[in-house]
């Protein structure tokens, strides 16, 4: 995965979201840490389990002052339906043009969707931790992500 380096400023972006308008990464600077959770496609079994887990763990993420943002190449209407069907409360962002996936080095060019990848960005906007799954069917547990946030 070639993307931003740990310790570097996280590449800023603005994407349309399921949260009534665009979301810009830098809007969280000085306010909260952010977990960027890139995922392949809505409605797949692992992605559904992953975002249901995130929803169930939002209180735990809040306790370490972190927002969770899901990013996929799906359209906003698809992501909105995915959220509704699965009672997901995490904000989902549409990288339909795949620019953010490319900036973070997560895009699988041949499949044209993102590898499941995680980035922890501190409240100063600095990338502090990242992980890319080697297999599409794998995902990190909330406890692992929270541990990284506790280390900030």
């Amino acid at each position: 995965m070639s993307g931003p380096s740990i310790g570097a400023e996280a590449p800023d972006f603005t994407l349309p979201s399921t949260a009534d308008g665009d979301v810009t990464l830098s809007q969280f600077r000085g306010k909260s840490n952010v977990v960027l959770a890139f995922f392949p496609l809505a409605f797949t079994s692992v992605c559904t389990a992953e975002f249901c887990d995130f929803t169930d763990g939002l209180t735990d993420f809040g306790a370490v002052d972190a927002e969770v943002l899901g990013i996929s190449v799906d359209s906003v209407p698809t992501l909105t339906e995915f959220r509704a069907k699965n009672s997901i409360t995490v904000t989902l962002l549409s990288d339909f043009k795949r620019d953010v996936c490319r900036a973070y080095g997560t895009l699988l060019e041949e499949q044209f969707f993102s590898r499941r990848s995680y980035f922890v960005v501190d409240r100063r906007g600095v990338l502090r931790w990242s992980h890319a799954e080697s297999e599409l069917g794998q995902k990190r547990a909330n406890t692992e992500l929270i541990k990284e946030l506790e280390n900030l």
Side-chain angles (χ1 to χ4, degrees), residues 126-137:
V126 175
L127 180 62
R128 301 295 298 272
W129 181 84
S130 68
H131 176 81
E133 297 295 353
S134 58
E135 311 242 346
L136 290 178

Side-chain angles (χ1 to χ4, degrees), residues 48-111:
T48 300
E50 177 179 38
F51 281 89
C52 288
D53 287 350
F54 280 141
T55 294
D56 292 344
L58 279 181
T59 302
D60 298 327
F61 284 100
V64 290
D65 195 27
E67 295 284 335
V68 177
L69 300 175
I71 302 174
S72 84
V73 301
D74 294 297
S75 67
V76 170
T78 298
L79 292 172
T80 300
E81 180 64 24
F82 176 58
R83 281 183 85 218
K85 182 178 180 190
N86 297 290
S87 302
I88 295 168
T89 57
V90 173
T91 298
L92 302 178
L93 309 180
S94 172
D95 186 22
F96 197 70
K97 295 181 180 177
R98 292 145 174 90
D99 295 334
V100 177
C101 290
R102 285 188 179 100
Y104 279 81
T106 69
L107 188 65
L108 296 168
E109 290 286 351
E110 290 183 14
Q111 291 94 338

Side-chain angles (χ1 to χ4, degrees), residues 30-43:
K31 297 176 185 170
S32 66
N33 303 303
V34 179
V35 174
L36 301 177
F38 289 82
F39 64 103
L41 296 166
F43 296 106

